[in-house]
Each structure stands twice: as structure tokens, then as C-alpha cells.
Amino acid sequence: NAGVTQTPKFQVLKTGQSMTLQCAQDMNHEYMSWYRQDPGMGLRLIHYSVGAGITDQGEVPNGYNVSRSTTEDFPLRLLSAAPSQTSVYFCASSYGFGDTEAFFGQGTRLTVV
Amino acid sequence: DQQVKQNSPSLSVQEGRISILNCDYTNSMFDYFLWYKKYPAEGPTFLISISSIKDKNEDGRFTVFLNKSAKHLSLHIVPSQPGDSAVYFCAASAPGDMRFGAGTRLTVKP
């Protein structure tokens, strides 16, 4: 099983550029989430989805958009990248939100210059 | 506001001894707590969890203790092994909310 797959693994963007971070899972999980990890701050929830067509904001949603058209995919869009969005991004999927183990992808290291 | 805190950035223990990692939280609405382990260049992997209605959960070498009145939980690893060397994250959840601590880097020396 592939589990949770994130692409790309590394990306450098210029300020103002847009891009989409891809996330796919093959475990038929209803719940999917995006986190960012910054030094000294742990992981912070950006957006999450409880099923296809349903998304909601997490702790730090500003500057990011998401959509969930299928159970398998949950892309994260940066419409106009800013240096403050330099971070490592993790996608996760799970059967439940918060009360079951989440399976994480390997992460995307994004640098905005 | 950091609602979940891991006040020890690092911990070093000898192989075979006990490792105790601590975590404090401030939000009394949290009802489920999880520990994740993370190796460099990999995503976090689930280790163990506990519901707020329990005070202890054990899985092999790993035990999590929850003290709700103190808003404190701890992860005990015994005996510690060199392969346990990683960053450990404490996480707490409430409906629609998930918060992580900043992590504790555990080093187990042979």
C-alpha cells in the first residue's frame, strides 16, 4: 500500500507565485488534513476535510485554499505565495478526526523567496 | 497561543533505561490525546493514544499516562532502545481542532 502520497517533495517559489501541493491516499479514509511544521512550533492544522465535498478551516488557514472532490485527493493551493509560507507541509488521512491515528505523508519542503 | 506544550526540547537516556516524555495542555475541551514519533525527512507516525475518560494506556514498551486535573500527560518508554531515537510529538484533539506540541528530541545512547 502506498498510504499517503505527497508531491512534490521539494519546491522553491518566488513571492506571488501560485502552486498546488498534491495529496492522495489509498486507504479509503474519510478524514484528510493539511499541517505545516515550523521550527519550535510543532505541527499546525491548516485545513481539514471530513469527506468529499466538505472542508473546514484549522488553526492557520489564511493564504491557503483546499477542495475535496474525491475521497482520495486533497490538494492544498497557495494562491499568492509569501515568505511566511516557507515551511514543511504534511498531509494526513484517518478514519476519524482526532480520535484515531492519522497516517502522514512524507512532507513537502516549500521555500518562498 | 500554544495550547499544547512540550517543555523539554531534548532528552538523552541510556539504552535499557526508562524514557519519560512530558506534555502539558491548557484547553479543557481536549478529549483525546496522541503521541507521534518522527524520524528526519519522514512524516510523523502514530505511537499510542488515550481518551480523556482513561488515565493510562499501555502498548508493549509504551505507556501513556493522563492526569486531567493537572492537564498533563506523559509517555513512558521502557526499556529504551537506540531505534527509539526520534522526535516525539504530543497531540490533543477536540471536535474540529487538533493541536501539537513542539516536540521533544529523544536520544537513546547505546
Side-chain angles (χ1 to χ4, degrees), chain A residues 37-109:
Chain A
Q37 184 190 8
D38 300 297
M41 300 196 71
L43 283 79
R44 289 183 292 169
L45 182 64
I46 304 171
H47 285 284
Y48 66 97
S49 170
V50 302
I54 306 170
T55 64
D56 208 343
Q57 297 181 350
E59 182 185 358
V60 287
N62 293 340
Y64 308 95
N65 281 350
V66 292
S67 60
R68 184 99 178 269
S69 56
T70 67
T71 298
E72 294 78 19
D73 300 298
F74 190 43
L76 178 72
R77 297 183 187 84
L78 286 72
L79 297 180
S80 179
S84 61
Q85 294 178 304
T86 294
S87 189
V88 180
Y89 291 85
F90 290 100
C91 177
S93 74
S94 57
Y95 283 114
F97 182 81
D99 61 353
T100 59
E101 68 172 290
F103 295 81
F104 285 82
Q106 286 198 311
T108 296
R109 183 173 293 275

